[in-house]
Amino acid sequence: MTVTNKEEQNVLKGYMMMLYFSGTMIMFDPSQECIYDFWTKGILKALPVKSDNPEFIRAASLLRESSCNTLNKHSLMQEDYRRLFSNAGKELAPPYESWYRKIKDKEGRKKLADELNSVYDAHKWVSNFRGRVPEDHLGVELLFLTHVTEKYIESEGSPKRTIGSGLIGFIDSHLLSWLPAWKEDVDRNSITIGYKGIASLLTASAEDIKSMIVSNLSKEA
């Protein structure tokens, strides 16, 4: 993806909007207002960016399709959220990095939490959910990704390269290392097209942000 600096900023801001929306739908029980705003108003019919990533194209198609069928959408999305993400240890697609990296013991989970907190602290970012939501929850990792992406957009020169390299490392180590498997679980177990689309959108967005930054850093080398 070849873009000017201004275009890059606008595209990345579009991805940040989508990540924030998607992360909210993973972290919180979908509210009636959220369903109304994003589905009933048809906001999801036109995503803020375009991409030739097949996963992104799939996500856009699923989300457009989901916005065409609003019958009982709120209750179905709530049921899907519970089944997939918050079913008291019986989740069908647990939104945790530790689960997909098969870290089951308490010591291993603490080590991962310490590793993530070290990354968060290095960027002077503290989750509003620290102490209440595990550090490896997908919603928390996505909030951090949007935070660092915003810092990348606002930076120039050497700091921008440093932040960009850190973003690539975080996406590789803590998102793309498990998101594809999580997306497959959502796709296999979801009863709503909406959550299938959200899972594909998250995976594609992480891939696209990484691809953009890799491309732009290589041009500046």
Side-chain angles (χ1 to χ4, degrees):
M1 187 182 296
T2 302
V3 293
T4 66
N5 187 52
K6 186 64 176 177
E7 288 172 335
E8 176 194 44
Q9 292 180 5
N10 290 336
V11 171
L12 287 174
K13 286 177 181 178
Y15 279 111
M16 287 170 60
M17 289 174 56
M18 294 187 297
L19 289 172
Y20 185 79
F21 151 71
S22 302
T24 299
M25 294 294 295
I26 301 301
M27 184 171 278
F28 302 110
D29 184 328
S31 69
Q32 183 72 54
E33 292 79 9
C34 182
I35 299 301
Y36 178 78
D37 285 343
F38 286 101
W39 273 271
T40 311
K41 287 186 177 180
I43 294 173
L44 295 178
K45 289 183 179 179
L47 297 177
V49 302
K50 296 184 183 300
S51 170
D52 57 6
N53 181 337
E55 195 64 58
F56 189 95
I57 294 170
R58 178 179 187 270
S61 176
L62 287 169
L63 291 171
R64 279 196 302 272
E65 184 179 351
S66 76
S67 63
C68 294
N69 180 12
T70 57
L71 183 65
N72 298 322
K73 185 170 295 297
H74 183 233
S75 60
L76 285 174
M77 293 290 285
Q78 283 191 315
E79 181 181 352
D80 226 6
Y81 171 86
R82 182 188 63 79
R83 292 171 63 257
L84 294 168
F85 312 129
S86 65
N87 198 18
K90 299 178 182 178
E91 302 94 335
L92 298 176
Y96 299 99
E97 179 180 345
S98 55
W99 176 267
Y100 287 92
R101 289 179 58 182
K102 303 188 187 309
I103 301 173
K104 302 295 177 67
D105 60 289
K106 185 176 180 179
E107 182 179 343
R109 289 196 299 270
K110 183 182 183 305
K111 182 177 179 181
L112 175 60
D114 289 344
E115 178 186 341
L116 285 165
N117 278 330
S118 178
V119 176
Y120 300 158
D121 291 343
H123 288 271
K124 297 180 172 57
W125 183 77
V126 178
S127 167
N128 290 331
F129 304 98
R130 183 171 286 190
R132 293 182 292 137
V133 179
E135 286 78 5
D136 69 321
H137 189 288
L138 178 55
V140 174
E141 294 190 354
L142 292 174
L143 284 173
F144 175 71
L145 178 60
T146 59
H147 169 76
V148 183
T149 301
E150 185 173 15
K151 287 179 63 178
Y152 173 81
I153 291 172
E154 295 172 349
S155 300
E156 296 180 357
S158 179
K160 189 180 189 75
R161 291 190 59 81
T162 300
I163 294 170
S165 296
L167 261 175
I168 293 167
F170 180 78
I171 290 171
D172 274 340
S173 298
H174 296 292
L175 286 171
L176 294 183
S177 59
W178 65 280
L179 265 184
W182 171 82
K183 182 208 71 175
E184 291 300 323
D185 279 348
V186 174
D187 201 50
R188 181 166 51 251
N189 295 298
S190 177
I191 58 175
T192 63
I193 300 173
Y195 269 115
K196 293 177 189 286
I198 287 169
S200 284
L201 183 66
L202 285 175
T203 305
S205 295
E207 292 172 348
D208 286 356
I209 290 172
K210 175 191 170 183
S211 178
M212 280 188 66
I213 295 174
V214 167
S215 175
N216 283 287
L217 290 184
S218 65
K219 288 190 299 184
E220 297 171 5

